Amino acid sequence: MDFFSCLVLLTERVVSDVIAKARRVAVQIINVEKEGLNATIGFDENQILLNAETADSVEGPLRATAIAVKDNIATLEYRTTCGSKILQSYQSPYEATVVERVKRAGGFVACKTNMDEFGMGSSTEHSAFGPCRNPVNNARVPGGSSGGSAALVAVGAVDAGLGSETGGSVRQPAAFCGVVGFKPTYGRISRFGLVAFGSSLDQVGVLARSTTMVRSLASVISGPDVRDSTCKKMAPIAKTTERKDLTGLTIGLPTEYFSQDIDSAVRRACDQASARLKDLGAQIRDVSLPHTEFAVATYYVIAPAEASANLARFDGVRYGTRGDARGNGLEDMYHATRAHGFGPEVRRRIMVGTYVLSSGYYDTYYKKAQVARGLIARDFENVFSSGVDLLFTPTTPSVAFELGARLQNPVHMYREDRCVCAANLAGVPAVSVPIGRNDGLPIGGQFMGRLDADDLILDAASLLEQSVDGHAEV
């Protein structure tokens, strides 16, 4: 045992619960990073203790709760790099609303976590700081783009993690790492301080090992925010629920999410979970979301289009790393900055986004994608207006894939989002909960609800979590 670990054991009895917790968390993060998880970008032993000392004077619902923060969410104590070279030295002058609310509730920031650069990826392999690894099997990916937060939560180094979603980037890594991942209704949690990728899709989400902890954190960070014009004037998510079963609820199983390209083990786990939902009193009904087949294509037109506009600000003039143009003028400086500062996946999406927004192709691609998005949202409206209260689907079509397995085929990587991106396009709430394992690798089941039904999907997730052994082989 190293000196720092001994010091923790000797002194934690004579310090406050918050300081003692911070010391234990620091030891855990150091140990898992030594093993090569590569889940953190910003972490410092002294800083976590300073954060805990500040939190020690606060009494609130998150007292002594250690939170990992995805590195595209602004913090004062750590850099905000977005997993990129271009922002590798960027120190935000302000912090995100969600971080402020965590601190006011007595929680403290443990670290910043690794992510796909600017949130563009499904595996946390597209990071300028190297790939993160799946804590269950280090030869596999943890999912993305919030893979660092999911991995740290899964190993128990932190109590919960803040991530972000544009097309499933909280729920998909939650499924791959065997934790709970929650995406709220669009506008339910403030985006102030979240670095923009696709503004009409981006959301802050929550990861934890239990639905109870997800709910505790979500109840603190949700609610109106005058600094975010997209944030709804709605009450925060409820801290607890009185629901004992699912009697009176109808849960739909969309046939499009159970297609032939879903792994047999994932299908078995979903079948077993559906049976448990029925035992809990829910009526199960097959339903259809007919435009689901267009969700991935629609997402990968709209998201890059918005990214190309949002990332135009990173030009080396106002902030971020400036490329060396060797005195050849402003345009060459822009080119040098963006060519050096952005990785290949970000450059690919900027090029696609600029292309679909160009005058010759706007109607052909972007306009049609917006029409398809409206049809996808209408599918959800239609099924919920037909008497269905919730939808249940797989979170991912397969378990975590091997590191490097999808890097040479971007389209194959994009298809990993086919069970999750429709919820972002429609803005509806969704949550992934562990429902079993295949050869030790976690499988996630997903609930989706009508707009603003955040509390209901968390109720259902909690009850299913209590009824299904998420570590059992299927």
Side-chain angles (χ1 to χ4, degrees):
M1 183 179 293
D2 60 26
F3 173 77
F4 189 68
S5 300
C6 292
L7 184 63
V8 170
L9 293 174
L10 289 170
T11 62
E12 65 180 8
R13 289 188 178 182
V14 295
V15 299
S16 74
D17 57 336
V18 180
I19 303 299
K21 177 66 170 290
R23 289 174 174 170
R24 291 195 298 272
V25 169
V27 170
Q28 290 175 301
I29 292 175
I30 290 169
N31 288 340
V32 297
E33 290 298 78
K34 282 180 179 178
E35 294 172 2
L37 194 63
N38 197 30
T40 63
I41 290 176
F43 172 70
D44 180 83
E45 298 172 31
N46 294 325
Q47 186 62 59
I48 191 175
L49 294 177
L50 288 173
N51 294 349
E53 287 176 6
T54 301
D56 195 23
S57 62
V58 180
E59 292 292 339
L62 294 181
R63 181 173 173 81
T65 301
I67 307 294
V69 179
K70 186 177 179 180
D71 207 25
N72 61 345
I73 299 173
T75 54
L76 292 172
E77 53 269 85
Y78 291 115
R79 294 170 299 153
T80 300
T81 73
C82 293
S84 70
K85 287 183 180 179
I86 203 166
L87 289 179
Q88 61 185 340
S89 300
Y90 177 68
Q91 190 79 39
S92 174
Y94 63 92
E95 60 188 1
T97 294
V98 292
V99 174
E100 289 181 352
R101 290 178 175 176
V102 164
K103 292 178 178 179
R104 287 204 299 266
F108 61 92
V109 175
C111 60
K112 299 296 283 295
T113 58
N114 204 358
M115 58 178 286
D116 286 301
E117 184 181 357
F118 284 99
M120 299 182 190
S122 303
S123 62
T124 314
E125 293 174 287
H126 298 294
S127 169
F129 302 94
C132 180
R133 295 177 178 272
N134 191 304
V136 179
N137 183 331
N138 284 357
R140 305 268 174 162
V141 302
S145 60
S146 305
S149 292
L152 279 184
V153 168
V155 297
V158 293
D159 297 302
L162 291 177
S164 70
E165 280 232 7
T166 307
S169 293
V170 166
R171 288 165 289 146
Q172 188 248 25
F176 279 3
C177 293
V179 298
V180 180
F182 168 60
K183 179 199 91 70
T185 299
Y186 182 83
R188 195 74 188 264
I189 294 176
S190 173
R191 294 189 301 116
F192 180 80
L194 172 66
V195 178
F197 165 10
S199 300
S200 73
L201 301 161
D202 291 345
Q203 298 176 252
V204 174
V206 179
L207 299 118
R209 291 186 298 282
S210 70
T211 309
T212 300
M213 176 54 72
V214 165
R215 194 157 207 157
S216 296
L217 181 52
S219 68
V220 165
I221 65 174
S222 57
D225 180 14
V226 295
R227 295 178 294 183
D228 178 6
S229 62
T230 67
C231 197
K232 295 185 176 182
K233 294 181 179 180
M234 296 181 62
I237 291 167
K239 297 177 183 178
T240 59
T241 177
E242 300 298 324
R243 187 180 289 275
K244 303 300 182 184
D245 56 37
L246 299 176
T247 301
L249 295 182
T250 298
I251 297 177
L253 305 180
T255 56
E256 293 80 7
Y257 284 76
F258 294 89
S259 57
Q260 292 181 352
D261 60 353
I262 298 295
D263 279 5
S264 58
V266 174
R267 183 183 294 273
R268 287 197 303 273
C270 287
D271 289 343
Q272 292 175 12
S274 297
R276 298 289 80 74
L277 294 173
K278 192 173 182 179
D279 292 341
L280 287 166
Q283 292 186 345
I284 306 299
R285 180 197 302 177
D286 288 334
V287 298
S288 178
L289 300 171
H291 295 96
T292 297
E293 63 177 306
F294 305 117
V296 171
T298 299
Y299 173 80
Y300 280 100
V301 171
I302 293 174
E306 295 187 7
S308 71
N310 279 323
L311 270 60
R313 72 193 72 182
F314 301 107
D315 53 16
V317 176
R318 289 156 290 189
Y319 45 77
T321 303
R322 177 178 295 185
D324 183 8
R326 302 189 183 278
N328 293 325
L330 184 64
E331 186 174 340
D332 287 339
M333 187 272 287
Y334 286 162
H335 182 274
T337 296
R338 293 168 70 81
H340 172 75
F342 290 141
E345 181 62 26
V346 174
R347 294 199 299 270
R348 180 184 295 119
R349 298 200 194 190
I350 289 174
M351 290 168 61
V352 169
T354 303
Y355 180 80
V356 301
L357 289 175
S358 62
S359 59
Y361 299 97
Y362 179 91
D363 289 344
T364 304
Y365 295 107
Y366 186 73
K367 188 175 181 179
K368 287 183 179 178
Q370 290 290 10
V371 171
R373 182 180 188 176
L375 294 173
I376 290 167
R378 189 180 303 170
D379 285 347
F380 282 98
E381 293 172 4
N382 290 340
V383 76
F384 290 130
S385 64
S386 70
V388 172
D389 299 289
L390 296 170
L391 298 173
F392 180 73
T393 75
T395 309
T396 58
S398 63
V399 294
F401 50 88
E402 294 181 353
L403 284 161
R406 305 283 195 273
L407 288 179
Q408 302 307 313
N409 188 338
V411 174
H412 198 181
M413 179 80 80
Y414 298 162
R415 283 186 56 77
E416 290 298 322
D417 296 335
R418 59 190 180 274
C419 293
V420 287
C421 65
N424 295 83
L425 291 167
V428 299
V431 61
S432 176
V433 61
I435 57 172
R437 299 204 171 196
N438 181 37
D439 292 333
L441 295 171
I443 298 170
Q446 174 179 229
F447 289 101
M448 294 183 283
R450 68 180 77 241
L451 292 171
D452 304 330
D454 305 72
D455 291 307
L456 183 58
I457 67 167
L458 290 172
D459 288 349
S462 179
L463 289 167
L464 181 61
E465 180 184 42
Q466 297 169 38
S467 302
V468 172
D469 183 357
H471 289 84
E473 288 287 319
V474 297

